[in-house]
Amino acid sequence: MRNKVTSAADAVSLIQDGDTVCTSGFVGVGTPNELLLALEKRFVETGAPGNLTLLHAAGQGDGKDRGLNILAHEGLLKRVVGGHFGLAPKMVQLINDEKIEAYNLPLGVIAHLYRDIAAGKPGTISRVGIGTFVDPRLDGGKLNKRTKEDLVRLMDIEGKEWLFYRAMPVNVAFLRGTSADPEGNVSAEHESLDLDNRAMAMAVRNSSGVVIVQVERIVKSKSLNPRRVMIPGALVDCIVVAKPEHHHQTYATVFNAAYCGEISVPLDGQQPAPLDARKIIARRCAIELRPGAIVNLGIGMPEGVAGVVTEERLSEYITLTTEAGVIGGVPTAGLDFGAAVNVDAIIEQNQQFDFYDGGGLDIAFLGMAEADREGNVNVSRFGSKIAGTGGFINISQNARKVVYAGTFAAGDLQVEIGDGRLRIVKDGPTCKFRERVSQITFSGRVAVASDQPVLYVTERCVFELTKDGLELIEVAPGVDIERDIVARMPFRPIISDVRIMDSRLFGTGPMNLKAQLLDLDFADRVAYDRERDLLFLNFEGLQLRTRDNLDAMRDAVVAQCVRIGHRVPVVVNYDAFTLVPELETDYAETVRAMEEKYYTRVSRFTTSAFMRMKLAQVLTRAVQPHVFESKGEAQRFHDVRR
């Protein structure tokens, strides 16, 4: 077997005019700076290669000069197809100046596209992007006037709308690992993420292209444990040993053993974030957490939720994830974003999006740059500022619940917090709530049609998405609704039953969210809609572990039914519900007795296929389960039966 170790200059000399080049990386994690610099050097010195197409999934850059900023040269690139551009301002400048063609597609779609190219498929079929700017009925992901070709097509499959993302041959891959043997086998023991390296290598190899991998060291031939080989040597053409300064673990950290899972680190010593607007928002978001929830945290404002989880000691009750492939642990922020400490597992990015797209996330906390009266959200473009969607569309469209986090106004917002109250000292000049967002990254209409619960959390108030638009549901103590909220908005939200935000949000010290997360205050879980004569039982996140728990639940429901005074139809939410096996028989008998005495009919819903199956097994011993996938389906069951 020939020795595949070569210089960066020799490796990039294999790239030809008009090639399509894909690059790995997530911010600075796994970004092959040595290879990017070598390609730039060749172009600057020789003018070749030119008219390249650049394909990348996650954003790669530091907001200044590193990452994809290195390739931002007129003539070097003809086209860019990417998931995120916010960290590559030099690339954005080329796009705005109409120097290159440019497309912004969802990160998860591009991750899946690598696999489909490798498999010889014509493209990727996905629901992700319906109703957003990626939809060909809107912009089709095109970012400037120069961009004409359609890469996205609307399809009808068995009466349902889908998007088809066209595949393309990929001629060159720039990838990154830790160790390589002379035959090209590559491991990633010091890398924080696996990303899509293997799928990209396969896609390029099956396109008859060139796979170039940047590593930090060469090891003895055949000495790598085959279970640790991320990219097999059969897929690799060139190995390049990087200079240490071009192979930092992230753009903020040279190396941290905790980022690659070599060690776990104590988290108790971390200092809590200061009590400011950002922390209030993060705390209010954290209130939405439920035991056992699988969670995604977006970049920016939602990163603060991880700090609240640590401060409130909730880590053992929930699983934090990032789209880059991290499961468990605590994600990092800033230019370390993508890495995490104390993780349970690191999987490939495309696999993570399999899970996300299939509805695996119980809740997602995402940033909110703009929102409008229909609940649409824009995080991707603001005039000439192109951030890009990243994994936002995949996550926001498919999570079972979405919570958007952001200050009410942009700019120099100053607040004063004390005595459990909030005072707006100086408001930001620009309200984030608009009559119409400038680009739709999240479609409120699509969310409403799928009965997806959506909240919009700010430091002064909370909105909820309804079929009629945004409804104001909470306001901070000390905030005047008309003066501090409505007067700043270009539209009047629905205002009917506004609650005061939890005063603990505005106090010093922990909020004791652990007790709330495990709380069995059943009275708060029972609500009667008198107008519709419908009883709602919110068992979301409920853990029935003892007979006392079961009795307390029954007593709370019976008390409400007695107050109603007649038998009533019931809708029950079983999302993230836990019932220990030893209580199953008693639970089924309790439900049977309640149906017989107090209910006319019952429908239950849960987004978990496992829980639907489990409830059917438990309840069919005594009652008809009537278990549905969404609240809307459960309620329609009652409407039809009326």
Side-chain angles (χ1 to χ4, degrees), residues 177-189 215 217-233 239:
T178 300
S179 305
D181 65 15
E183 288 81 15
N185 297 298
V186 178
S187 61
E189 60 270 24
V215 299
R217 61 193 180 191
I218 302 298
V219 299
K220 184 180 177 181
S221 177
K222 304 293 187 181
S223 65
L224 291 174
N225 184 331
R227 300 289 293 177
R228 298 186 70 179
V229 171
M230 176 177 64
I231 310 172
I239 295 292

Side-chain angles (χ1 to χ4, degrees), residues 229 257 330 367 493 607:
V229 171
V330 180
T607 53

Side-chain angles (χ1 to χ4, degrees), residues 117-260:
I117 293 170
K121 297 179 181 179
T124 296
I125 298 175
S126 177
R127 291 273 300 163
V128 172
I130 293 286
T132 74
F133 76 94
V134 179
D135 192 316
R137 290 168 293 189
L138 296 177
D139 300 325
K142 300 168 187 172
L143 294 181
N144 60 15
K145 294 178 181 178
R146 178 173 179 150
T147 307
K148 304 293 185 182
E149 188 177 1
D150 294 328
L151 297 186
V152 188
R153 190 170 81 240
L154 184 69
M155 297 181 65
D156 181 286
I157 301 178
E158 296 186 349
K160 197 170 187 178
E161 291 181 339
W162 294 80
L163 294 182
F164 174 74
Y165 295 86
R166 201 178 76 207
M168 64 191 80
V170 188
N171 310 108
V172 181
F174 279 1
L175 309 177
R176 197 177 105 163
T178 300
S179 305
D181 65 15
E183 288 81 15
N185 297 298
V186 178
S187 61
E189 60 270 24
H190 288 173
E191 299 296 314
S192 303
L193 301 167
D194 288 346
L195 299 173
D196 299 312
N197 282 281
R198 186 182 293 114
M200 295 168 72
M202 289 180 176
V204 172
R205 172 55 95 187
N206 286 350
S207 298
S208 301
V210 178
V211 177
I212 306 171
V213 186
Q214 168 184 322
V215 299
E216 65 178 61
R217 61 193 180 191
I218 302 298
V219 299
K220 184 180 177 181
S221 177
K222 304 293 187 181
S223 65
L224 291 174
N225 184 331
R227 300 289 293 177
R228 298 186 70 179
V229 171
M230 176 177 64
I231 310 172
L235 305 178
V236 176
D237 296 285
C238 300
I239 295 292
V240 174
V241 179
K243 298 181 181 67
E245 62 269 26
H246 299 154
H247 202 94
H248 291 175
Q249 197 175 34
T250 76
Y251 280 150
T253 302
V254 175
F255 179 74
N256 183 334
Y259 288 0
C260 59

Side-chain angles (χ1 to χ4, degrees), residues 137-430:
R137 290 168 293 189
L138 296 177
D139 300 325
K142 300 168 187 172
L143 294 181
N144 60 15
K145 294 178 181 178
R146 178 173 179 150
T147 307
K148 304 293 185 182
E149 188 177 1
D150 294 328
L151 297 186
V152 188
R153 190 170 81 240
L154 184 69
M155 297 181 65
D156 181 286
I157 301 178
E158 296 186 349
K160 197 170 187 178
E161 291 181 339
W162 294 80
L163 294 182
F164 174 74
Y165 295 86
R166 201 178 76 207
M168 64 191 80
V170 188
N171 310 108
V172 181
F174 279 1
L175 309 177
R176 197 177 105 163
T178 300
S179 305
D181 65 15
E183 288 81 15
N185 297 298
V186 178
S187 61
E189 60 270 24
H190 288 173
E191 299 296 314
S192 303
L193 301 167
D194 288 346
L195 299 173
D196 299 312
N197 282 281
R198 186 182 293 114
M200 295 168 72
M202 289 180 176
V204 172
R205 172 55 95 187
N206 286 350
S207 298
S208 301
V210 178
V211 177
I212 306 171
V213 186
Q214 168 184 322
V215 299
E216 65 178 61
R217 61 193 180 191
I218 302 298
V219 299
K220 184 180 177 181
S221 177
K222 304 293 187 181
S223 65
L224 291 174
N225 184 331
R227 300 289 293 177
R228 298 186 70 179
V229 171
M230 176 177 64
I231 310 172
L235 305 178
V236 176
D237 296 285
C238 300
I239 295 292
V240 174
V241 179
K243 298 181 181 67
E245 62 269 26
H246 299 154
H247 202 94
H248 291 175
Q249 197 175 34
T250 76
Y251 280 150
T253 302
V254 175
F255 179 74
N256 183 334
Y259 288 0
C260 59
E262 280 189 8
I263 61 172
S264 294
V265 294
L267 299 175
D268 295 343
Q270 290 188 1
Q271 288 297 314
L275 184 58
D276 56 12
R278 294 178 68 90
K279 186 166 185 177
I280 291 170
I281 294 168
R283 281 178 157 183
R284 177 59 187 84
C285 288
I287 287 177
E288 298 300 314
L289 291 169
R290 296 293 180 267
I294 299 177
V295 182
N296 173 270
L297 299 180
I299 195 168
M301 193 72 70
E303 294 171 358
V305 178
V308 174
V309 166
T310 300
E311 182 181 352
E312 300 286 342
R313 301 178 185 274
L314 303 178
S315 299
E316 64 181 292
Y317 302 105
I318 63 172
T319 301
L320 296 178
T321 70
T322 68
E323 61 264 41
V326 169
I327 298 176
V330 180
T332 56
L335 291 180
D336 281 327
F337 188 64
V341 299
N342 303 351
V343 303
D344 297 326
I346 298 172
I347 65 175
E348 294 188 24
Q349 188 168 243
N350 50 72
Q351 295 172 333
Q352 188 79 299
F353 279 104
D354 287 336
F355 182 67
Y356 282 7
D357 288 357
L361 284 172
D362 294 298
I363 188 167
F365 299 102
L366 300 172
M368 176 187 66
E370 286 182 345
D372 64 25
R373 66 161 67 239
E374 292 184 355
N376 300 315
V377 174
N378 174 27
V379 299
S380 50
R381 183 166 191 167
F382 314 91
S384 62
K385 183 178 180 181
I386 302 173
T389 172
F392 185 94
I393 298 178
N394 296 84
I395 295 164
S396 63
Q397 283 194 331
N398 295 302
R400 296 169 186 173
K401 184 174 188 176
V402 182
V403 178
Y404 289 110
T407 54
F408 183 85
D412 186 19
L413 170 67
Q414 298 177 23
V415 299
E416 190 176 86
I417 306 164
D419 300 322
R421 299 170 68 83
L422 177 77
R423 187 171 74 89
I424 311 298
V425 177
K426 180 182 178 184
D427 217 339
T430 307

